[in-house]
Amino acid sequence: MITYRKVREDDLELNSKIEDLNIKVFPSTETTSDLHILENYYKGASVDFIAIEDDGKFMGYAYMINFFQGSFIYYLAIEPEYQNKGYGTALLNHLREIQGNRPIALTIFTPHPDNDDYEECLRRKWFYVRNGYVDQKIPYPSEEAHRYDIYMNGDGISYIELMAMLNKVDMFFNVLICIGRHHLGDPA
């Protein structure tokens, strides 16, 4: 039986499973401690940090930031051995239930044949397309080697509102960088 639960900071076992999953599926990632700091520190948005389980077994999680204009899925990951079994779709449907008709946006690496992770980028792209997310045809530049494409499920948001939301996402995670430097004593 599939269940969803809020990822709490004091649930060390669940946070450990999420960090292990992140190492498997993301090239670089914040720790769950970082994500909880943001959840508690940044008051400009609420966060849904949700794990999906099947008969009590951890399958994956999502980290969604909720703004006035809509929501943004920052992370969504399913354990590799349980991918293509409906858990990602179930988690996206759960996020849609939480949001109702509000738009949900996300970014994915632009698939490019010259990149080593081309097949993985295509796989992620088609997963979201199959689940009703539509390419907004707006490239989102990145300082990394990749560019991002913006996908959205739902409508009722203008280009200006979408870009404002994405700028808030950037600010949200810049807070993490500042907090991390402060805790490490880095004056930069």
Side-chain angles (χ1 to χ4, degrees):
M1 181 170 120
I2 293 178
T3 56
Y4 306 93
R5 68 175 162 134
K6 180 174 174 40
V7 179
R8 295 186 344 258
E9 192 169 6
D10 62 351
D11 189 337
L12 301 180
E13 181 181 349
L14 180 57
N15 282 282
S16 177
K17 289 176 183 177
I18 290 170
E19 289 196 12
D20 290 345
L21 174 58
N22 284 347
I23 290 167
K24 294 177 202 173
V25 299
F26 294 118
S28 64
T29 187
E30 288 79 20
T31 66
T32 55
S33 295
D34 295 334
L35 296 175
H36 287 296
I37 287 171
L38 286 173
E39 181 180 19
N40 297 319
Y41 181 83
Y42 187 75
K43 301 302 180 198
S46 66
V47 169
D48 291 307
F49 194 0
I50 299 168
I52 182 172
E53 298 175 331
D54 193 351
D55 286 329
K57 183 175 175 107
F58 174 73
M59 296 292 139
Y61 81 101
Y63 190 89
M64 185 168 67
I65 309 162
N66 305 302
F67 297 104
F68 173 76
Q69 298 93 337
S71 295
F72 182 83
I73 298 174
Y74 191 72
Y75 285 119
L76 188 143
I78 301 297
E79 286 286 356
E81 62 269 27
Y82 299 110
Q83 291 177 1
N84 298 313
K85 298 191 181 334
Y87 295 109
T89 296
L91 190 49
L92 284 175
N93 289 339
H94 181 71
L95 296 176
R96 170 57 49 213
E97 287 175 21
I98 291 170
Q99 290 305 307
N101 291 329
R102 291 171 38 88
I104 300 174
L106 55 92
T107 56
I108 60 170
F109 285 143
T110 303
H112 192 279
D114 292 341
N115 292 349
D116 292 340
D117 59 355
Y118 175 66
E119 293 296 324
E120 180 63 24
C121 290
L122 277 178
R123 189 183 68 74
R124 287 184 178 153
K125 171 186 173 174
W126 292 117
F127 165 74
Y128 288 111
V129 168
R130 279 192 319 270
N131 281 284
Y133 285 76
V134 176
D135 186 349
Q136 299 301 293
K137 307 292 188 208
I138 304 168
Y140 192 65
S142 169
E143 295 174 10
E144 303 168 16
H146 287 83
R147 286 183 43 186
Y148 294 93
D149 291 328
I150 302 167
Y151 283 75
M152 186 170 311
N153 183 320
D155 51 32
I157 187 169
S158 70
Y159 172 81
I160 292 170
E161 290 172 315
L162 176 62
M163 296 315 288
M165 185 170 69
L166 292 172
N167 286 331
K168 288 178 185 178
V169 169
D170 285 343
M171 288 187 313
F172 193 80
F173 284 93
N174 285 333
V175 167
L176 177 63
I177 293 167
C178 293
I179 292 170
R181 286 183 179 156
H182 175 73
H183 286 297
L184 296 173
D186 183 354

